[in-house]
Amino acid sequence: MARIVDRRRFLRDGAAAAAVLTIPALAGCGEASTRVTLDAAHGAEAVHGAEAAHATMATTPPSAAAWRSLAKSLTGRLVLPPDHGYAAAKQLFDPRFDVARPAALAYCASPVDVQRTVDFARTHAIRPIPRCGGHSYGGYSTGSGLVIDVTRMNKVSVTAERKGAPATAEVGAGTRLVDLYNGVSSAGVLVPGGSCPTVGISGLALGGGIGVLARKYGLTCDATREVKLVTADDRLLTCDGDSHSDLYWASRGGGGGNFGVATSFTFTAHPIPELTLFTVDWPWAAAHEALGGWIEWLRKAPDELWSNFQLLSAGSSGLVARSSGVLVGGTSTLTSLVNRLASTVGSPPSSTFVGGPDPYLHVMLVEAGCDGKSVAECHLPSQNPAGTLQRSAYAAKSAYVSKPLPGAGLAAAAQAVQELRTEHPGLGGGLAFDAYGGVINRVAADATSFVHRDTICAIQATVTWGAVPSGAAFVAGRSWLEDAAKALAPYTTGGAYQNYIDPDLADWQSAYYGPNLNRLSLVKRTHDPDNVFHFPQSIPLHV
């Protein structure tokens, strides 16, 4: 009987090859040391790219007295470079970006703190940098500016269903996903969201929010009823379908850090249903056949089923072909669906697991790679004293599939991972195909700013190093990602997931936003005409 293996486990197993070389092996979710290597330089490139466009606004740095005044005005804490804890405070999930040296980090404890910090940044011509979970794949939640960290605004409160109105969850913008799921589960409801436990709700919701319940309940952005946002002119706006509806639209898929700093969200919440889990493995020789069968099976699957398919190079585990997923329903229904999957594939699986029913919180912990851990343990040590997770260096690319892959496309996917194993045995990684469809695809492409509404699945190609890689390892990983993307390009849509932000993606504006870009640019000109909130792949003022 197979052990349940989830989306996070896919990435972690992909790092197992690196573990053989004594490199820590927990991969990033989604988001350099000071040694002089190419990887550190690349981290610095991402960090400093955002500063170049801001150079024209540069003025004399704030005085010590100005910083003290800001610190005294905040309910939260201001951390400056000389302060104890600065080195830890500036860390993102990926240690490649430890080269960044922010002018300061403001741990904002209230919307007023955010307003005062944005006002200070604008007054002194310092780039404000919103930060929640710190998982930006491009390192865009750090830099030389003023980091506005919202993680202290992490309260979760649920309003029960009444008089026909659905239950809602009001969620502080700094809430990490594992804490969100813990908070809402105690009230008997769920909010659809992603699987990485330390990702922040802001980045997830603002950029879309695919998750293991999305085919049944939609993306996180689809559940957003209201978002409160501090804009570049330091106003706190409540954005919904009636008030500031343009910002409301843009904040449901337009991506974080573009229009302001989110301080809270209100989401539609759903009663917790019966949930069951499955995992199926195939011999590597059947990898392409299993992937093709999975895609065909997924196209006919009910909305209640979410699944992914994983092709990975996993260290001592070798090459792995695996599907796992979650069903809103019971074990008998799931068993029938899994049997149908095996029949559609044709080649017999090497192992099969169907289990449950499981409590919602346990399902989300399993999907987070935290099976057997407490909620407290499912954090970084810097986030919770009981935390057992570790930071990791990683890189990724994404694509979308809108029609079944032909034989050549299936072979290209399997061959790409085979080459990763053969040519770069010290690297971990692979391809994850995540299910879309269901409720996701019934939302019009322009109803929210999330445009990817006609896809069967997304692909995430990932390389994980664990620790900061050497120059040669970084080049090898980056080259494999480029080669894999090129091999799969004839069979994908040209789109990419904005929450898997890719600093190396050439036509990123079209790939992330498609025909919604023009409207997003208009919202940007309306609410941030001076481009105060910007980074290398932020929404442009003009298209």
Side-chain angles (χ1 to χ4, degrees):
M1 182 173 288
R3 184 179 178 184
I4 297 173
V5 182
D6 54 88
R7 177 178 176 77
R8 291 304 111 201
R9 181 71 179 277
F10 159 67
L11 295 177
R12 187 171 64 190
D13 281 355
V20 175
L21 303 177
T22 70
I23 298 173
L26 179 64
C29 300
E31 304 321 35
S33 71
T34 55
R35 73 183 88 167
V36 182
T37 59
L38 180 59
D39 53 88
H42 182 68
E45 173 188 310
V47 166
H48 297 306
E51 314 308 329
H54 202 64
T56 57
M57 297 180 63
T59 61
T60 304
S63 65
W67 286 118
R68 286 195 298 270
S69 178
L70 175 62
K72 290 179 180 179
S73 74
L74 300 179
T75 305
R77 180 188 176 204
L78 185 71
V79 180
L80 296 165
D83 294 342
H84 175 72
Y86 172 80
K90 70 186 183 72
Q91 292 177 349
L92 302 186
F93 187 88
D94 189 332
R96 289 188 299 128
F97 303 114
D98 286 356
V99 294
R101 190 171 174 82
L105 301 98
Y107 285 90
C108 296
S110 69
V112 172
D113 278 1
V114 176
Q115 289 176 284
R116 288 172 175 166
T117 305
V118 170
D119 178 66
F120 182 93
R122 182 155 188 162
T123 297
H124 294 279
I126 302 172
R127 187 169 74 95
I129 307 173
R131 186 180 78 177
C132 183
H135 282 268
S136 170
Y137 285 17
Y140 297 150
S141 47
T142 191
S144 63
L146 175 53
V147 173
I148 303 175
D149 186 288
V150 298
T151 53
R152 294 196 178 187
M153 294 186 288
N154 55 22
K155 182 179 179 182
V156 177
S157 60
V158 174
T159 300
E161 179 180 356
R162 53 188 177 184
K163 296 182 179 179
T168 58
E170 185 173 350
V171 181
T175 306
R176 297 181 178 93
L177 296 189
V178 67
D179 299 315
L180 167 63
Y181 303 144
N182 185 45
V184 297
S185 66
S186 63
V189 297
L190 65 83
V191 171
S195 55
C196 183
T198 58
V199 159
I201 188 62
S202 289
L204 180 79
L206 293 171
I210 185 63
V212 301
L213 300 173
R215 280 172 52 87
K216 173 64 175 176
Y217 299 111
L219 303 172
T220 309
C221 69
D222 298 333
T224 303
R225 299 273 297 273
E226 174 188 287
V227 57
K228 292 183 179 178
L229 197 73
V230 174
T231 53
D233 55 0
D234 65 79
R235 291 185 300 158
L236 176 62
L237 303 182
T238 298
C239 309
D240 57 26
D242 297 319
S243 300
H244 307 291
S245 58
D246 57 341
L247 271 176
Y248 175 60
W249 176 86
S251 296
R252 291 178 294 150
N258 283 296
F259 306 104
V261 183
T263 63
S264 69
F265 298 83
T266 299
F267 298 109
T268 298
H270 304 273
I272 293 175
E274 184 176 28
L275 297 170
T276 47
L277 297 159
F278 81 93
T279 299
V280 183
D281 287 346
W282 285 270
W284 182 254
H288 69 288
E289 185 180 359
L291 174 59
W294 176 82
I295 292 174
E296 184 62 27
W297 171 76
L298 178 64
R299 295 177 67 209
K300 300 175 183 177
D303 295 354
E304 289 76 12
L305 179 75
W306 182 89
S307 176
N308 70 358
F309 193 94
Q310 308 149 3
L311 299 173
L312 60 149
S313 175
S316 59
S317 297
L319 291 163
V320 176
R322 169 180 296 140
S323 177
S324 59
V326 180
L327 176 73
V328 177
T331 53
S332 61
T333 301
L334 182 56
T335 298
S336 176
L337 286 165
V338 170
N339 288 341
R340 189 185 307 166
L341 169 62
S343 176
T344 304
V345 169
S347 292
S350 54
S351 59
T352 301
F353 175 93
V354 174
D358 288 290
Y360 165 66
L361 180 58
H362 178 250
V363 167
M364 298 313 295
L365 286 172
V366 168
E367 290 299 317
C370 289
D371 190 16
K373 298 182 186 294
S374 67
V375 170
E377 290 170 331
C378 197
H379 288 81
L380 298 173
S382 61
Q383 300 166 353
N384 190 304
T388 62
L389 307 185
Q390 299 298 320
R391 298 196 302 150
S392 180
Y394 60 98
K397 285 186 170 295
S398 67
Y400 283 102
V401 174
S402 62
K403 56 186 178 182
L405 297 181
L410 299 172
Q415 182 63 28
V417 180
Q418 177 76 58
E419 290 175 357
L420 178 63
R421 176 74 173 172
T422 302
E423 299 175 12
H424 309 293
L427 294 179
L431 302 174
F433 296 74
D434 289 332
Y436 275 59
V439 170
I440 302 170
N441 286 12
R442 294 194 194 103
V443 178
D446 61 355
T448 69
S449 48
F450 188 88
V451 74
H452 311 292
R453 302 288 186 171
D454 60 350
T455 64
I456 300 171
C457 60
I459 306 173
Q460 183 175 197
T462 308
V463 168
T464 53
W465 295 284
V468 177
S470 67
F474 176 76
V475 169
R478 190 175 182 180
S479 296
W480 180 79
L481 288 172
E482 293 289 347
D483 291 345
K486 183 177 180 180
L488 292 170
Y491 315 107
T492 57
T493 66
Y497 183 25
Q498 49 268 43
N499 273 353
Y500 298 158
I501 204 160
D502 180 359
D504 298 323
L505 187 61
D507 190 18
W508 59 267
Q509 296 179 353
S510 176
Y512 297 155
Y513 304 115
N516 286 342
L517 179 63
N518 285 327
R519 186 174 171 187
L520 283 165
S521 183
L522 175 60
V523 176
K524 180 72 170 177
R525 291 195 302 274
T526 301
H527 293 281
D528 187 12
D530 296 322
N531 207 22
V532 171
F533 292 101
H534 71 272
F535 52 92
Q537 290 188 357
S538 58
I539 300 296
L541 288 173
H542 301 282
V543 178

